[in-house]
Amino acid sequence: MKRQMLTMDRFAHATNAAPTGTGIGWRHPHYAELLQTLPALDFLEVHSENFFGEGGAALQVLEQARATYPVSLHGVGLALGSATGVDPWHLDQLARLAERIEPVRISDHACFARAHVKGRDVHAGDLLPIPFNQESLDVFCRNVQQVQERLQRPLLVENLSAYLTLSGSDRSETDFLRELVQRTGCGLLVDVNNIYVNALNVCLSTGENAPEPVNACRHWLDQLPTEGVGEIHLAGHCVMDDIVIDDHGSRVPDSVWQLYAHAIARFGVRPTLIEWDTAIPPLDVLLDEAERARRLNQPAEVSA
C-alpha cells in the first residue's frame, strides 16, 4: 500500500507540474517545417519506438525539438496486457530514451501483443484487445508496476479502439481502467475518438441505433475517475459500410468535438493532442485543429 500511495502522489505531482494546453503528433513529413517555423504549441508527441536507436538523424531531430518544446512519448509496443510480461529490451530502450529526452509524459495502450508461441516469444505488431476480468487485471497491474518502477514515474494508459470483443469479461472497460488506476497509481490517456469508434462499431454489429453513440460515449466518460486523466487524444476516423476504422487520417469530426467538450467539462483542463498518422496533411491543418482544441481546453470562467 505504501508503494501504491507513493506512486499516486508522483502521478498527482506530475499532472500538476506538466504543461497543459494542446499539441500535435509530430510525424516525419513535418520534421523540417516545424523546426524552421516553431509554431505556437504547448507540446509535441512522438512514438517512442521511432527513436530507440543509440544515435542517428531521427534522435538528433528529436533533441532539436526538445530544446524548444516539451515532448510526450507515446508508445505502441509495451504490450502491457501480455501474460508473458514486458519485454526487458523494449523497457530498457524506453528508459534510456526517457532519460535522454526528459519527457513530460510517457504513455502506452491497454492491449496485449506478446505471446509465447512454439517455444519463443513473438510480438503481433498490433494493438490487440484484452478481456476485462480479474486475471487480465492482475497481469496488467503487474506489468504497469514494472514499467513505472523502471521509469521512476507514473505511466499513462490509453483506452483501445477494438474491432472485436474477447469472451471472458466480467466487468466493463471503465471499471477495469478505474481499478487499474486504484491499484497501480498510473494515469489514463483518454482517447475520445477511440471511444466513439467503438460505440459506432457496436451499433453496426448489432444493427441497432440505441443507445445513441454520443450519449453512450458521454456515459463512458462519466464512469472514469476524474483525478486519473493525464492527457486526451483527438483524431479522425474512417466510416465504411460494415466497420469504422480508427485511422487517424482526417480532421476531428463534430461528434468527437462534442465529446471532447464533455470530457473537459468533467475532467477539467487537460493536455490535449491532435493525432494524424495517415494521409498526413500540411502542417497548417494540424495547427488549425490544435487551435480549435485550445479554444475548448480553457479553465472555466468564474462569474462575479
Side-chain angles (χ1 to χ4, degrees):
M1 178 63 69
K2 183 178 179 181
R3 183 174 68 181
Q4 177 181 339
M5 291 304 297
L6 178 62
T7 304
M8 293 179 72
D9 288 345
R10 287 204 304 267
F11 174 71
H13 174 75
T15 301
N16 292 333
T20 55
T22 59
I24 62 171
W26 192 36
R27 305 297 179 250
H28 184 269
H30 299 144
Y31 281 2
E33 183 179 0
L34 184 135
L35 291 175
Q36 290 167 2
T37 60
L38 299 178
L41 292 165
D42 298 297
F43 68 98
L44 301 176
E45 189 161 280
V46 297
H47 287 155
S48 309
E49 291 81 3
N50 289 341
F51 302 92
F52 275 4
E54 291 296 327
L59 191 56
Q60 184 180 26
V61 164
L62 182 58
E63 288 178 328
Q64 284 182 259
R66 182 64 184 88
T68 301
Y69 299 100
V71 170
S72 178
L73 296 178
H74 185 51
V76 295
L78 276 175
L80 294 165
S82 301
T84 55
V86 175
D87 179 4
W89 178 88
H90 192 111
L91 183 53
D92 284 345
Q93 296 299 311
L94 179 59
R96 279 197 283 270
L97 180 62
E99 183 176 358
R100 188 164 190 165
I101 298 301
E102 298 182 337
V104 289
R105 288 173 294 280
I106 302 177
S107 57
D108 210 295
H109 296 79
C111 70
F112 89 95
R114 299 181 69 241
H116 197 66
V117 179
K118 296 182 178 179
R120 63 189 184 94
D121 286 338
V122 297
H123 196 290
D126 206 344
L127 308 176
L128 303 176
I130 56 176
F132 301 122
N133 58 36
Q134 190 62 46
E135 183 179 7
S136 182
L137 179 63
D138 291 342
V139 167
F140 217 100
C141 289
R142 182 172 65 247
N143 291 338
V144 167
Q145 284 286 30
Q146 179 187 352
V147 171
Q148 293 184 144
E149 290 171 6
R150 179 70 173 85
L151 299 178
Q152 284 298 292
R153 64 161 72 203
L155 184 71
L156 298 184
V157 176
E158 178 183 343
N159 56 289
L160 195 66
S161 56
Y163 304 107
L164 56 88
T165 301
L166 298 185
S167 62
S169 292
D170 58 20
R171 66 203 71 186
S172 68
E173 181 180 20
T174 50
D175 283 345
F176 184 95
L177 294 173
R178 185 169 56 248
E179 292 174 83
L180 175 68
V181 170
Q182 292 171 346
R183 284 182 53 177
T184 68
C186 75
L188 298 176
L189 193 168
V190 175
D191 190 311
V192 179
N193 186 61
N194 287 358
I195 305 166
Y196 189 62
V197 165
N198 289 346
L200 290 177
N201 280 325
V202 167
C203 290
L204 286 174
S205 65
T206 61
E208 299 176 356
N209 292 322
E212 198 273 328
V214 171
N215 288 334
C217 293
R218 289 194 183 106
H219 177 74
W220 194 102
L221 290 164
D222 289 344
Q223 305 311 304
L224 292 182
T226 58
E227 68 280 1
V229 177
E231 187 176 332
I232 295 174
H233 275 188
L234 301 172
H237 53 260
C238 176
V239 179
M240 306 176 72
D241 290 340
D242 57 351
I243 194 170
V244 181
I245 302 295
D246 174 39
D247 66 346
H248 300 175
S250 57
R251 285 184 179 268
V252 179
D254 288 343
S255 50
V256 175
W257 284 120
Q258 292 176 39
L259 292 171
Y260 177 58
H262 183 84
I264 292 300
R266 172 163 172 77
F267 305 128
V269 174
R270 289 292 186 271
T272 299
L273 184 85
I274 301 297
E275 285 191 296
W276 205 313
D277 294 307
T278 63
I280 295 177
L283 179 60
D284 285 348
V285 176
L286 271 73
L287 298 178
D288 184 60
E289 292 286 270
E291 181 57 31
R292 182 170 180 179
R294 189 192 306 276
R295 291 194 297 268
L296 291 171
N297 191 19
Q298 298 289 338
E301 294 184 3
V302 179
S303 58

